[in-house]
Amino acid sequence: MKFPDIVAAVGHTPLVELASISPRPGVRLFAKLEGGNPAGSVKDRIARAMLEDAIAAGMLTPEKVILEPTSGNTGLALALLGRRLGYRVAVVLPDNVGPERQQALRAFGAEIIFSEGRYGSNGAILKAQELAAKDDRYFMPFQYANPANPRAHYETTAPEILADLGGEVDAFVAGLGTGGTLMGVGRRLREVNPQVKIVAVEPHPGEQVQGLRSLADGYIPPILDLAQLDAKFIVRSADAFAGARLLLEAEGIFAGVSSGAVLQGALRFAQRLERGTVVLLLADGGWKYLSAGFWTAPRTEFEQLSTGQLWW
Ligand SMILES: Cc1ncc(COP(=O)(O)O)c(C=O)c1O
């Protein structure tokens, strides 16, 4: 495919069948590989939509600095695409986030403002809100409440899936972070097949899966409507690692930790089906998680790795 610039190249990601992982002969699993986006994740889609909306509405003007609380992927996407569109970008990041994403954010030209790691992404949200309230040079897209987030998935992610599968999708499984992926893709798929099942994957309360949030932590993103979800699976960090390893070893797909969690949720959901087509959204590639150690560690060490907070 040919594009006039990198912003236009966002999306258009491959859909790959997981032929050797399917737990039942009649159930076909397809993975949407979002790691191939320009800044490396599904978040490029929403970053582009939020920036284009804000520019069109006159809210993002050349003297503004884009500010976003993010555990990584949305910051990377805003940094790359924001700079390409001519803006400065600052991100508020928990200080225990892994080294790869800090290095990438700096390489992409973003300023990093740290929040306390032990307060996780909620701590980053509070700090960004305080900064934006004090200084009106900041423009905060705020993915948790921005309607351009689910709309980007309604307008790009879901139509790509539908086109690749000729409209035949029985279930869609994705991780729950802001809820934008599940809401936007879910709404579009339901218009085509009202019976489609929208399945969310959440981390175990008190455990971390980079990019995902446990609703038990108390913050419900404003764009998330829980009534739109048909099922929800809670996945432990150690099982998310095992899922990422399985994707790599069985299918040659190098995806991130949330993708491992999504695979585990999809396998549990697929046990309930006689037949059907299940689409999994794999939000990013494995590159940012190399320092996490589980790629080569024996599985017996996964529990221990998942309780170490160093690289989150
Ligand atoms: C790696 C990763 N997976 C999954 C998600 C969840 O996506 P959403 O915010 O659309 O719910 C995110 C979001 O930050 C992410 O970074």
Side-chain angles (χ1 to χ4, degrees):
M1 263 187 249
K2 184 166 154 231
F3 302 99
D5 68 6
I6 199 69
V7 181
V10 168
H12 314 282
T13 53
L15 190 72
V16 176
E17 183 156 13
L18 308 180
S20 56
I21 295 186
S22 177
R24 286 170 169 260
V27 178
R28 299 182 74 184
L29 303 178
F30 290 89
K32 180 96 173 131
L33 306 188
E34 291 295 310
N37 274 297
S41 84
V42 68
K43 293 296 183 178
D44 286 19
R45 297 177 187 269
I46 72 156
R48 177 176 64 182
M50 293 191 301
L51 294 179
E52 286 178 349
D53 256 27
I55 293 167
M59 284 154 66
L60 179 53
T61 44
E63 73 285 1
K64 295 260 183 188
V65 177
I66 299 164
L67 175 76
E68 186 75 1
T70 163
S71 57
N73 280 332
T74 304
L76 288 167
L78 287 170
L80 192 84
L81 302 177
R83 180 159 76 175
R84 177 71 187 83
L85 294 170
Y87 297 91
R88 283 177 54 202
V89 181
V91 298
V92 183
L93 201 67
D95 60 14
N96 53 357
V97 152
E100 294 94 339
R101 64 198 67 218
Q102 295 184 32
Q103 287 159 2
L105 280 165
R106 291 207 170 91
F108 292 177
E111 180 194 343
I112 300 179
I113 301 164
F114 285 112
S115 60
E116 263 191 81
R118 65 195 161 114
Y119 299 125
S121 53
N122 288 348
I125 292 172
L126 284 176
K127 180 145 192 175
Q129 285 172 333
E130 276 168 31
L131 289 168
K134 275 195 288 205
D135 188 342
D136 61 10
R137 268 182 325 141
Y138 285 129
F139 165 72
M140 187 152 84
F142 202 48
Q143 58 174 340
Y144 293 93
N146 192 324
N149 170 358
R151 207 191 62 234
H153 294 291
Y154 179 86
E155 289 176 352
T156 71
T157 322
E160 290 171 26
I161 293 168
L162 288 165
D164 286 341
L165 290 173
E168 280 179 36
V169 182
D170 299 298
F172 174 73
V173 189
L176 195 156
T178 63
T181 309
L182 289 156
M183 294 298 107
V185 173
R187 185 157 69 88
R188 184 62 158 248
L189 295 184
R190 261 203 196 96
E191 287 173 3
V192 176
N193 171 14
Q195 305 307 321
V196 69
K197 301 291 181 230
I198 305 302
V199 181
V201 174
E202 254 187 57
H204 198 268
E207 292 190 355
Q208 305 251 18
V209 174
Q210 180 62 49
L212 307 189
R213 63 169 45 246
S214 165
L215 296 180
D217 284 353
Y219 179 72
I220 310 283
I223 58 167
L224 177 64
D225 173 8
L226 290 171
Q228 303 302 317
L229 302 178
D230 297 290
K232 193 171 83 174
F233 291 95
I234 310 257
V235 176
R236 307 204 68 126
S237 304
D239 295 329
F241 298 159
R245 282 272 290 268
L246 182 60
L247 281 166
L248 188 58
E249 287 161 13
E251 298 287 357
I253 292 174
F254 186 42
V257 182
S258 81
S259 299
V262 165
L263 177 68
Q264 298 287 12
L267 292 178
R268 272 147 71 184
F269 182 75
Q271 305 284 359
R272 301 177 178 179
L273 301 176
E274 273 307 313
R275 60 180 52 78
T277 298
V278 180
V279 174
L280 292 63
L281 187 124
L282 307 189
D284 61 6
W287 301 102
K288 293 188 295 281
Y289 309 90
L290 282 172
S291 68
F294 64 85
W295 297 103
T296 48
R299 280 176 166 62
T300 48
E301 289 175 16
F302 281 10
E303 277 298 333
Q304 201 189 330
L305 282 170
S306 71
T307 51
Q309 298 285 305
L310 247 188
W311 31 274
W312 287 147

